[in-house]
Amino acid sequence: MRKFATRLENDTKTEGTREIRHFYLSRIEFLREEATAEGVIFNKDSERDFWTFIELFPFIRRGSLFLMDNGNLRAVWDDDEGNLLGIQFLGNSLARYVVFKHRAEDGPVSRVAGTDTLKGVNARIKAFELEILLSL
């Protein structure tokens, strides 16, 4: 019975991930059109890095996706507990990130920001135990 439940759960996650990827495709197309209308040069390398990052998480949760004035994509995932991960994809496998991690119910929020490789950002996500923000 447990094996069936696990397979059903994975099928549900796979379908959810498919829908989220479709959302991102549509959102990026919209942002590309907005960039053209506003005279902003859309950074295709930023988009490539966004998709590379998304592939690191087999069951990705939907986050917010924005176009920055410089043509880069920025994704944000957050929760109701004060945790947040924001990533601006710079191209060349580099990203600027911001992390807010609420460590304890009454404790302060840890804040970290910087620029790193996509692998380095992924290591930060693991170090701050933020995979839950990104995964279904």
Side-chain angles (χ1 to χ4, degrees):
M1 185 68 167
R2 177 67 187 143
K3 193 175 191 180
F4 175 76
T6 301
R7 188 170 55 184
L8 183 60
E9 182 179 314
N10 282 342
D11 288 349
T12 301
K13 286 181 178 181
T14 299
E15 180 60 28
T17 299
R18 194 174 302 131
E19 290 173 8
I20 289 164
R21 290 176 195 278
H22 179 72
F23 163 79
Y24 284 139
L25 282 169
S26 298
R27 179 73 176 153
I28 289 170
E29 184 58 33
F30 171 78
L31 293 172
R32 189 178 288 120
E33 291 171 4
E34 289 294 305
T36 300
E38 294 181 19
V40 173
I41 297 173
F42 185 87
N43 184 348
K44 292 178 184 178
D45 292 335
S46 176
E47 179 185 0
R48 186 194 65 237
D49 285 353
F50 168 77
W51 288 115
T52 298
F53 180 80
I54 293 300
E55 291 300 318
L56 296 173
F57 298 90
F59 300 116
I60 191 78
R61 191 169 72 86
R62 181 174 153 181
S64 300
L65 188 61
F66 308 95
L67 180 67
M68 306 294 290
D69 289 341
N70 60 9
N72 292 338
L73 292 174
R74 181 171 190 267
V76 177
W77 293 267
D78 61 359
D79 63 20
D80 295 333
E81 297 173 17
N83 300 309
L84 178 136
L85 171 66
I87 305 172
Q88 181 180 169
F89 299 92
L90 305 175
N92 297 319
S93 297
L94 294 173
R96 191 167 293 131
Y97 65 90
V98 61
V99 171
F100 294 169
K101 174 65 176 179
H102 200 152
R103 295 204 182 266
E105 192 172 311
D106 295 332
V109 175
S110 178
R111 294 172 177 85
V112 177
T115 302
D116 206 338
T117 64
L118 295 177
K119 285 185 178 182
V121 171
N122 194 25
R124 294 279 183 175
I125 291 166
K126 290 177 182 175
F128 279 93
E129 300 174 342
L130 290 174
E131 297 97 333
I132 191 102
L133 280 180
L134 299 171
S135 299
L136 291 173

